[in-house]
Amino acid sequence: MRSTVLASLETPDGTHCIDFFAREDGTFGFEQYRAEHDGAGRWQSLGQYAHLSFGSGEEALRAAKEHVPWLSPAEVWRW
């Protein structure tokens, strides 16, 4: 199923990011990535959360805050 990335948030040091996306079926999700160490500017999926499905972006963000320790608790859904 195809998805559209709505937002990508990075750690201050640029070593990790999290993408929030909407799927064709109207559900939302997120996945965490880490920067590859070879300096090529590529991101490697950690493959932990993309299978989860949420009814709204707000629910996906709330779950991400519970599972991804570096994500700011003050972050609000705005995409």
Side-chain angles (χ1 to χ4, degrees), residues 4 10 19 29 32 35 37 50 53 55 69 72 74 77 79:
T4 301
E10 276 187 46
D19 284 355
Q32 183 176 199
H37 298 289
S53 184
S72 170
W77 186 260
W79 309 287

Side-chain angles (χ1 to χ4, degrees), residues 15-61:
T15 59
H16 289 83
C17 78
I18 186 167
D19 284 355
F20 291 92
F21 52 85
R23 297 184 185 97
E24 288 178 319
D25 66 0
T27 63
F28 294 80
F30 68 94
E31 183 57 87
Q32 183 176 199
Y33 299 83
R34 67 173 172 78
E36 290 193 0
H37 298 289
D38 65 4
R42 296 187 186 135
W43 292 98
Q44 175 69 38
S45 171
L46 298 182
Q48 297 174 303
Y49 307 112
H51 67 282
L52 301 175
S53 184
F54 304 94
S56 71
E58 291 88 352
E59 290 176 19
L61 176 60

